[in-house]
Structures are given as C-alpha cells and as structure tokens.
mmCIF file of all heavy atoms in Angstrom:
data_model
loop_
_atom_site.group_PDB
_atom_site.id
_atom_site.type_symbol
_atom_site.label_atom_id
_atom_site.label_comp_id
_atom_site.label_asym_id
_atom_site.label_seq_id
_atom_site.Cartn_x
_atom_site.Cartn_y
_atom_site.Cartn_z
ATOM 1 N N ILE I 899 0.828 -1.208 0.000
ATOM 2 C CA ILE I 899 0.000 0.000 0.000
ATOM 3 C C ILE I 899 0.862 1.258 0.000
ATOM 4 O O ILE I 899 0.534 2.256 -0.637
ATOM 5 C CB ILE I 899 -0.977 -0.009 1.197
ATOM 6 C CG1 ILE I 899 -1.991 -1.136 1.059
ATOM 7 C CG2 ILE I 899 -1.672 1.326 1.370
ATOM 8 C CD1 ILE I 899 -2.774 -1.136 -0.224
ATOM 9 N N ASP I 900 1.987 1.218 0.712
ATOM 10 C CA ASP I 900 2.885 2.381 0.743
ATOM 11 C C ASP I 900 3.431 2.728 -0.639
ATOM 12 O O ASP I 900 3.800 3.878 -0.892
ATOM 13 C CB ASP I 900 4.065 2.132 1.693
ATOM 14 C CG ASP I 900 3.656 2.211 3.153
ATOM 15 O OD1 ASP I 900 2.560 2.732 3.447
ATOM 16 O OD2 ASP I 900 4.446 1.734 4.002
ATOM 17 N N LEU I 901 3.454 1.758 -1.542
ATOM 18 C CA LEU I 901 3.962 2.000 -2.899
ATOM 19 C C LEU I 901 2.957 2.748 -3.779
ATOM 20 O O LEU I 901 3.327 3.279 -4.823
ATOM 21 C CB LEU I 901 4.338 0.680 -3.574
ATOM 22 C CG LEU I 901 5.486 -0.092 -2.925
ATOM 23 C CD1 LEU I 901 5.639 -1.460 -3.585
ATOM 24 C CD2 LEU I 901 6.775 0.703 -3.008
ATOM 25 N N LEU I 902 1.712 2.790 -3.352
ATOM 26 C CA LEU I 902 0.670 3.474 -4.120
ATOM 27 C C LEU I 902 0.703 4.952 -3.769
ATOM 28 O O LEU I 902 0.337 5.344 -2.663
ATOM 29 C CB LEU I 902 -0.707 2.875 -3.806
ATOM 30 C CG LEU I 902 -0.848 1.372 -4.047
ATOM 31 C CD1 LEU I 902 -2.220 0.893 -3.592
ATOM 32 C CD2 LEU I 902 -0.598 1.027 -5.503
ATOM 33 N N ARG I 903 1.156 5.777 -4.707
ATOM 34 C CA ARG I 903 1.394 7.184 -4.389
ATOM 35 C C ARG I 903 0.701 8.179 -5.309
ATOM 36 O O ARG I 903 0.966 9.375 -5.233
ATOM 37 C CB ARG I 903 2.899 7.449 -4.404
ATOM 38 C CG ARG I 903 3.599 6.656 -3.322
ATOM 39 C CD ARG I 903 5.005 7.068 -3.140
ATOM 40 N NE ARG I 903 5.602 6.273 -2.079
ATOM 41 C CZ ARG I 903 6.860 6.000 -2.003
ATOM 42 N NH1 ARG I 903 7.688 6.447 -2.928
ATOM 43 N NH2 ARG I 903 7.327 5.280 -1.012
ATOM 44 N N SER I 904 -0.161 7.716 -6.183
ATOM 45 C CA SER I 904 -0.879 8.665 -7.035
ATOM 46 C C SER I 904 -1.778 9.534 -6.150
ATOM 47 O O SER I 904 -2.084 9.174 -5.011
ATOM 48 C CB SER I 904 -1.731 7.922 -8.062
ATOM 49 O OG SER I 904 -2.822 7.285 -7.422
ATOM 50 N N ASP I 905 -2.206 10.679 -6.670
ATOM 51 C CA ASP I 905 -3.101 11.555 -5.907
ATOM 52 C C ASP I 905 -4.353 10.801 -5.477
ATOM 53 O O ASP I 905 -4.814 10.940 -4.344
ATOM 54 C CB ASP I 905 -3.493 12.784 -6.734
ATOM 55 C CG ASP I 905 -2.331 13.728 -6.972
ATOM 56 O OD1 ASP I 905 -1.309 13.620 -6.261
ATOM 57 O OD2 ASP I 905 -2.450 14.585 -7.871
ATOM 58 N N TYR I 906 -4.901 9.998 -6.378
ATOM 59 C CA TYR I 906 -6.113 9.234 -6.068
ATOM 60 C C TYR I 906 -5.846 8.225 -4.949
ATOM 61 O O TYR I 906 -6.630 8.103 -4.011
ATOM 62 C CB TYR I 906 -6.635 8.524 -7.319
ATOM 63 C CG TYR I 906 -7.900 7.742 -7.061
ATOM 64 C CD1 TYR I 906 -9.143 8.360 -7.108
ATOM 65 C CD2 TYR I 906 -7.850 6.384 -6.768
ATOM 66 C CE1 TYR I 906 -10.308 7.657 -6.860
ATOM 67 C CE2 TYR I 906 -9.011 5.664 -6.517
ATOM 68 C CZ TYR I 906 -10.236 6.308 -6.571
ATOM 69 O OH TYR I 906 -11.388 5.612 -6.317
ATOM 70 N N SER I 907 -4.723 7.515 -5.040
ATOM 71 C CA SER I 907 -4.383 6.514 -4.017
ATOM 72 C C SER I 907 -4.191 7.159 -2.653
ATOM 73 O O SER I 907 -4.649 6.630 -1.634
ATOM 74 C CB SER I 907 -3.110 5.751 -4.404
ATOM 75 O OG SER I 907 -3.311 5.020 -5.580
ATOM 76 N N VAL I 908 -3.533 8.292 -2.618
ATOM 77 C CA VAL I 908 -3.316 9.007 -1.351
ATOM 78 C C VAL I 908 -4.662 9.435 -0.765
ATOM 79 O O VAL I 908 -4.927 9.262 0.428
ATOM 80 C CB VAL I 908 -2.368 10.213 -1.548
ATOM 81 C CG1 VAL I 908 -2.349 11.115 -0.321
ATOM 82 C CG2 VAL I 908 -0.963 9.721 -1.884
ATOM 83 N N ALA I 909 -5.540 9.979 -1.613
ATOM 84 C CA ALA I 909 -6.862 10.399 -1.155
ATOM 85 C C ALA I 909 -7.675 9.201 -0.668
ATOM 86 O O ALA I 909 -8.390 9.292 0.345
ATOM 87 C CB ALA I 909 -7.598 11.131 -2.277
ATOM 88 N N LEU I 910 -7.565 8.080 -1.355
ATOM 89 C CA LEU I 910 -8.271 6.870 -0.958
ATOM 90 C C LEU I 910 -7.769 6.378 0.399
ATOM 91 O O LEU I 910 -8.566 6.015 1.275
ATOM 92 C CB LEU I 910 -8.091 5.791 -2.029
ATOM 93 C CG LEU I 910 -8.920 4.529 -1.903
ATOM 94 C CD1 LEU I 910 -10.410 4.854 -1.982
ATOM 95 C CD2 LEU I 910 -8.540 3.547 -3.004
ATOM 96 N N LYS I 911 -6.462 6.398 0.602
ATOM 97 C CA LYS I 911 -5.895 5.980 1.887
ATOM 98 C C LYS I 911 -6.337 6.912 3.016
ATOM 99 O O LYS I 911 -6.637 6.454 4.122
ATOM 100 C CB LYS I 911 -4.363 5.909 1.805
ATOM 101 C CG LYS I 911 -3.885 4.739 0.948
ATOM 102 C CD LYS I 911 -2.384 4.569 1.012
ATOM 103 C CE LYS I 911 -1.690 5.350 -0.064
ATOM 104 N NZ LYS I 911 -0.237 5.064 -0.132
ATOM 105 N N GLU I 912 -6.405 8.205 2.751
ATOM 106 C CA GLU I 912 -6.875 9.153 3.764
ATOM 107 C C GLU I 912 -8.315 8.848 4.158
ATOM 108 O O GLU I 912 -8.670 8.870 5.343
ATOM 109 C CB GLU I 912 -6.778 10.590 3.252
ATOM 110 C CG GLU I 912 -5.362 11.100 3.125
ATOM 111 C CD GLU I 912 -5.248 12.407 2.351
ATOM 112 O OE1 GLU I 912 -6.272 12.896 1.802
ATOM 113 O OE2 GLU I 912 -4.122 12.945 2.288
ATOM 114 N N ARG I 913 -9.158 8.553 3.190
ATOM 115 C CA ARG I 913 -10.551 8.247 3.474
ATOM 116 C C ARG I 913 -10.694 6.903 4.185
ATOM 117 O O ARG I 913 -11.540 6.742 5.062
ATOM 118 C CB ARG I 913 -11.379 8.300 2.193
ATOM 119 C CG ARG I 913 -11.671 9.755 1.819
ATOM 120 C CD ARG I 913 -11.796 9.961 0.326
ATOM 121 N NE ARG I 913 -12.051 11.362 0.017
ATOM 122 C CZ ARG I 913 -11.093 12.296 -0.072
ATOM 123 N NH1 ARG I 913 -9.821 11.993 0.138
ATOM 124 N NH2 ARG I 913 -11.402 13.546 -0.370
ATOM 125 N N ALA I 914 -9.852 5.950 3.835
ATOM 126 C CA ALA I 914 -9.863 4.653 4.521
ATOM 127 C C ALA I 914 -9.462 4.830 5.984
ATOM 128 O O ALA I 914 -10.065 4.213 6.875
ATOM 129 C CB ALA I 914 -8.932 3.677 3.812
ATOM 130 N N ASP I 915 -8.468 5.672 6.243
ATOM 131 C CA ASP I 915 -8.069 5.954 7.627
ATOM 132 C C ASP I 915 -9.222 6.601 8.393
ATOM 133 O O ASP I 915 -9.486 6.261 9.548
ATOM 134 C CB ASP I 915 -6.835 6.862 7.671
ATOM 135 C CG ASP I 915 -5.561 6.164 7.237
ATOM 136 O OD1 ASP I 915 -5.507 4.913 7.245
ATOM 137 O OD2 ASP I 915 -4.597 6.877 6.871
ATOM 138 N N TRP I 916 -9.917 7.543 7.747
ATOM 139 C CA TRP I 916 -11.056 8.193 8.373
ATOM 140 C C TRP I 916 -12.145 7.166 8.695
ATOM 141 O O TRP I 916 -12.694 7.146 9.805
ATOM 142 C CB TRP I 916 -11.600 9.311 7.478
ATOM 143 C CG TRP I 916 -12.751 10.035 8.096
ATOM 144 C CD1 TRP I 916 -12.691 11.059 8.997
ATOM 145 C CD2 TRP I 916 -14.143 9.771 7.879
ATOM 146 N NE1 TRP I 916 -13.965 11.444 9.349
ATOM 147 C CE2 TRP I 916 -14.862 10.676 8.689
ATOM 148 C CE3 TRP I 916 -14.829 8.859 7.090
ATOM 149 C CZ2 TRP I 916 -16.255 10.686 8.718
ATOM 150 C CZ3 TRP I 916 -16.215 8.871 7.119
ATOM 151 C CH2 TRP I 916 -16.916 9.779 7.921
ATOM 152 N N LEU I 917 -12.462 6.293 7.724
ATOM 153 C CA LEU I 917 -13.475 5.264 7.950
ATOM 154 C C LEU I 917 -13.072 4.312 9.071
ATOM 155 O O LEU I 917 -13.915 3.896 9.871
ATOM 156 C CB LEU I 917 -13.712 4.444 6.669
ATOM 157 C CG LEU I 917 -14.659 5.020 5.649
ATOM 158 C CD1 LEU I 917 -14.682 4.143 4.405
ATOM 159 C CD2 LEU I 917 -16.054 5.160 6.206
ATOM 160 N N ALA I 918 -11.795 3.947 9.119
ATOM 161 C CA ALA I 918 -11.320 3.025 10.154
ATOM 162 C C ALA I 918 -11.558 3.612 11.540
ATOM 163 O O ALA I 918 -11.925 2.887 12.468
ATOM 164 C CB ALA I 918 -9.839 2.713 9.951
ATOM 165 N N SER I 919 -11.392 4.915 11.682
ATOM 166 C CA SER I 919 -11.573 5.527 12.998
ATOM 167 C C SER I 919 -13.027 5.878 13.287
ATOM 168 O O SER I 919 -13.454 5.860 14.440
ATOM 169 C CB SER I 919 -10.686 6.765 13.141
ATOM 170 O OG SER I 919 -11.107 7.783 12.269
ATOM 171 N N GLU I 920 -13.818 6.199 12.271
ATOM 172 C CA GLU I 920 -15.179 6.696 12.493
ATOM 173 C C GLU I 920 -16.284 5.658 12.283
ATOM 174 O O GLU I 920 -17.355 5.798 12.866
ATOM 175 C CB GLU I 920 -15.459 7.887 11.563
ATOM 176 C CG GLU I 920 -14.548 9.071 11.788
ATOM 177 C CD GLU I 920 -14.745 9.726 13.145
ATOM 178 O OE1 GLU I 920 -15.903 9.788 13.619
ATOM 179 O OE2 GLU I 920 -13.738 10.160 13.730
ATOM 180 N N VAL I 921 -16.045 4.654 11.439
ATOM 181 C CA VAL I 921 -17.133 3.759 11.054
ATOM 182 C C VAL I 921 -16.804 2.279 11.300
ATOM 183 O O VAL I 921 -17.664 1.528 11.757
ATOM 184 C CB VAL I 921 -17.500 3.964 9.558
ATOM 185 C CG1 VAL I 921 -18.558 2.984 9.099
ATOM 186 C CG2 VAL I 921 -17.956 5.399 9.321
ATOM 187 N N ALA I 922 -15.595 1.860 11.010
ATOM 188 C CA ALA I 922 -15.259 0.426 11.025
ATOM 189 C C ALA I 922 -15.500 -0.240 12.368
ATOM 190 O O ALA I 922 -15.810 -1.430 12.426
ATOM 191 C CB ALA I 922 -13.820 0.222 10.584
ATOM 192 N N THR I 923 -15.386 0.495 13.447
ATOM 193 C CA THR I 923 -15.552 -0.110 14.770
ATOM 194 C C THR I 923 -16.987 -0.054 15.287
ATOM 195 O O THR I 923 -17.262 -0.525 16.388
ATOM 196 C CB THR I 923 -14.612 0.571 15.785
ATOM 197 O OG1 THR I 923 -14.895 1.969 15.812
ATOM 198 C CG2 THR I 923 -13.153 0.349 15.419
ATOM 199 N N LEU I 924 -17.908 0.510 14.520
ATOM 200 C CA LEU I 924 -19.314 0.531 14.917
ATOM 201 C C LEU I 924 -19.857 -0.896 14.972
ATOM 202 O O LEU I 924 -19.361 -1.789 14.274
ATOM 203 C CB LEU I 924 -20.152 1.350 13.929
ATOM 204 C CG LEU I 924 -19.846 2.836 13.812
ATOM 205 C CD1 LEU I 924 -20.709 3.467 12.713
ATOM 206 C CD2 LEU I 924 -20.069 3.553 15.133
ATOM 207 N N SER I 925 -20.891 -1.096 15.748
ATOM 208 C CA SER I 925 -21.540 -2.410 15.787
ATOM 209 C C SER I 925 -22.247 -2.660 14.455
ATOM 210 O O SER I 925 -22.501 -1.724 13.682
ATOM 211 C CB SER I 925 -22.551 -2.463 16.929
ATOM 212 O OG SER I 925 -23.670 -1.642 16.618
ATOM 213 N N ASP I 926 -22.603 -3.912 14.208
ATOM 214 C CA ASP I 926 -23.334 -4.240 12.982
ATOM 215 C C ASP I 926 -24.644 -3.453 12.907
ATOM 216 O O ASP I 926 -25.011 -2.934 11.856
ATOM 217 C CB ASP I 926 -23.622 -5.741 12.905
ATOM 218 C CG ASP I 926 -22.394 -6.562 12.575
ATOM 219 O OD1 ASP I 926 -21.398 -5.988 12.091
ATOM 220 O OD2 ASP I 926 -22.437 -7.790 12.797
ATOM 221 N N GLY I 927 -25.332 -3.334 14.043
ATOM 222 C CA GLY I 927 -26.588 -2.582 14.075
ATOM 223 C C GLY I 927 -26.398 -1.116 13.743
ATOM 224 O O GLY I 927 -27.202 -0.521 13.020
ATOM 225 N N GLU I 928 -25.321 -0.523 14.264
ATOM 226 C CA GLU I 928 -25.043 0.888 13.991
ATOM 227 C C GLU I 928 -24.697 1.102 12.515
ATOM 228 O O GLU I 928 -25.125 2.100 11.907
ATOM 229 C CB GLU I 928 -23.902 1.388 14.877
ATOM 230 C CG GLU I 928 -24.279 1.498 16.349
ATOM 231 C CD GLU I 928 -23.084 1.742 17.254
ATOM 232 O OE1 GLU I 928 -22.004 1.166 17.019
ATOM 233 O OE2 GLU I 928 -23.252 2.513 18.223
ATOM 234 N N ILE I 929 -23.948 0.180 11.938
ATOM 235 C CA ILE I 929 -23.627 0.291 10.505
ATOM 236 C C ILE I 929 -24.891 0.105 9.681
ATOM 237 O O ILE I 929 -25.123 0.834 8.707
ATOM 238 C CB ILE I 929 -22.518 -0.692 10.097
ATOM 239 C CG1 ILE I 929 -21.182 -0.191 10.652
ATOM 240 C CG2 ILE I 929 -22.450 -0.857 8.580
ATOM 241 C CD1 ILE I 929 -19.980 -1.025 10.284
ATOM 242 N N ASP I 930 -25.737 -0.846 10.070
ATOM 243 C CA ASP I 930 -27.010 -1.046 9.367
ATOM 244 C C ASP I 930 -27.842 0.231 9.403
ATOM 245 O O ASP I 930 -28.411 0.638 8.391
ATOM 246 C CB ASP I 930 -27.808 -2.193 9.987
ATOM 247 C CG ASP I 930 -27.212 -3.559 9.691
ATOM 248 O OD1 ASP I 930 -26.330 -3.657 8.813
ATOM 249 O OD2 ASP I 930 -27.633 -4.528 10.356
ATOM 250 N N ASP I 931 -27.910 0.870 10.576
ATOM 251 C CA ASP I 931 -28.676 2.121 10.702
ATOM 252 C C ASP I 931 -28.095 3.217 9.821
ATOM 253 O O ASP I 931 -28.837 3.956 9.168
ATOM 254 C CB ASP I 931 -28.704 2.590 12.158
ATOM 255 C CG ASP I 931 -29.563 1.703 13.055
ATOM 256 O OD1 ASP I 931 -30.366 0.910 12.522
ATOM 257 O OD2 ASP I 931 -29.408 1.807 14.287
ATOM 258 N N LEU I 932 -26.774 3.324 9.803
ATOM 259 C CA LEU I 932 -26.104 4.334 8.982
ATOM 260 C C LEU I 932 -26.430 4.120 7.502
ATOM 261 O O LEU I 932 -26.824 5.047 6.801
ATOM 262 C CB LEU I 932 -24.590 4.267 9.205
ATOM 263 C CG LEU I 932 -23.727 5.184 8.337
ATOM 264 C CD1 LEU I 932 -23.975 6.643 8.705
ATOM 265 C CD2 LEU I 932 -22.257 4.827 8.515
ATOM 266 N N VAL I 933 -26.294 2.883 7.042
ATOM 267 C CA VAL I 933 -26.561 2.578 5.632
ATOM 268 C C VAL I 933 -28.040 2.771 5.319
ATOM 269 O O VAL I 933 -28.392 3.364 4.303
ATOM 270 C CB VAL I 933 -26.089 1.147 5.275
ATOM 271 C CG1 VAL I 933 -26.573 0.737 3.900
ATOM 272 C CG2 VAL I 933 -24.574 1.058 5.359
ATOM 273 N N ARG I 934 -28.898 2.313 6.215
ATOM 274 C CA ARG I 934 -30.337 2.453 5.996
ATOM 275 C C ARG I 934 -30.728 3.928 5.874
ATOM 276 O O ARG I 934 -31.495 4.302 4.989
ATOM 277 C CB ARG I 934 -31.105 1.790 7.138
ATOM 278 C CG ARG I 934 -32.552 1.539 6.819
ATOM 279 C CD ARG I 934 -33.279 0.739 7.913
ATOM 280 N NE ARG I 934 -32.675 -0.569 8.135
ATOM 281 C CZ ARG I 934 -31.984 -0.917 9.246
ATOM 282 N NH1 ARG I 934 -31.798 -0.065 10.221
ATOM 283 N NH2 ARG I 934 -31.491 -2.122 9.357
ATOM 284 N N SER I 935 -30.165 4.773 6.725
ATOM 285 C CA SER I 935 -30.498 6.200 6.660
ATOM 286 C C SER I 935 -30.001 6.814 5.354
ATOM 287 O O SER I 935 -30.641 7.676 4.771
ATOM 288 C CB SER I 935 -29.925 6.953 7.861
ATOM 289 O OG SER I 935 -28.510 7.038 7.786
ATOM 290 N N ARG I 936 -28.857 6.386 4.877
ATOM 291 C CA ARG I 936 -28.323 6.894 3.610
ATOM 292 C C ARG I 936 -29.107 6.317 2.439
ATOM 293 O O ARG I 936 -29.358 7.009 1.462
ATOM 294 C CB ARG I 936 -26.838 6.536 3.454
ATOM 295 C CG ARG I 936 -25.947 7.213 4.462
ATOM 296 C CD ARG I 936 -25.933 8.712 4.237
ATOM 297 N NE ARG I 936 -26.703 9.384 5.263
ATOM 298 C CZ ARG I 936 -26.898 10.685 5.341
ATOM 299 N NH1 ARG I 936 -26.395 11.501 4.465
ATOM 300 N NH2 ARG I 936 -27.612 11.204 6.295
ATOM 301 N N MET I 937 -29.483 5.037 2.521
ATOM 302 C CA MET I 937 -30.247 4.423 1.434
ATOM 303 C C MET I 937 -31.577 5.158 1.263
ATOM 304 O O MET I 937 -32.017 5.380 0.153
ATOM 305 C CB MET I 937 -30.511 2.931 1.719
ATOM 306 C CG MET I 937 -29.269 2.069 1.663
ATOM 307 S SD MET I 937 -28.693 1.781 0.002
ATOM 308 C CE MET I 937 -29.545 0.267 -0.358
ATOM 309 N N ASP I 938 -32.198 5.543 2.378
ATOM 310 C CA ASP I 938 -33.445 6.312 2.287
ATOM 311 C C ASP I 938 -33.198 7.620 1.553
ATOM 312 O O ASP I 938 -33.977 8.029 0.708
ATOM 313 C CB ASP I 938 -34.020 6.587 3.684
ATOM 314 C CG ASP I 938 -34.575 5.332 4.345
ATOM 315 O OD1 ASP I 938 -34.796 4.329 3.634
ATOM 316 O OD2 ASP I 938 -34.768 5.346 5.577
ATOM 317 N N LEU I 939 -32.081 8.293 1.861
ATOM 318 C CA LEU I 939 -31.734 9.550 1.192
ATOM 319 C C LEU I 939 -31.498 9.298 -0.296
ATOM 320 O O LEU I 939 -31.996 10.031 -1.144
ATOM 321 C CB LEU I 939 -30.488 10.165 1.831
ATOM 322 C CG LEU I 939 -29.916 11.409 1.149
ATOM 323 C CD1 LEU I 939 -30.898 12.568 1.246
ATOM 324 C CD2 LEU I 939 -28.583 11.788 1.763
#
C-alpha cells in the first residue's frame, strides 16, 4: 500500500483511515442504521 502514491491513491488511503476511525468499529446494528439512513436519502 505504501507503494501506491498517485493523488487518487493518497486520497483513498486518507478516506480509509477516516473510515477506520469513524465507522469500522461501529456495531453491525449501527452500521445497518447508517446505511439504511443513507439508502433512504
């Protein structure tokens, strides 16, 4: 992953880091609620 250095790859890694801290550790129910609320939108 460290070898991927294009602007897109860097931006993707930044967003993955954000998701890991903000979303990945949520419970299954919390993720379901998040997706359900977005799917409605």
Side-chain angles (χ1 to χ4, degrees):
I899 294 305
D900 286 345
L901 296 173
L902 303 175
R903 296 191 179 152
S904 70
D905 291 344
Y906 181 85
S907 296
V908 169
L910 189 62
K911 289 187 269 187
E912 289 168 354
R913 282 149 181 83
D915 288 341
W916 182 83
L917 277 175
S919 67
E920 299 294 324
V921 176
T923 58
L924 296 176
S925 71
D926 286 343
E928 290 169 321
I929 287 182
D930 288 347
D931 290 344
L932 175 67
V933 170
R934 196 174 300 110
S935 70
R936 294 294 106 181
M937 291 286 268
D938 289 344
L939 174 65

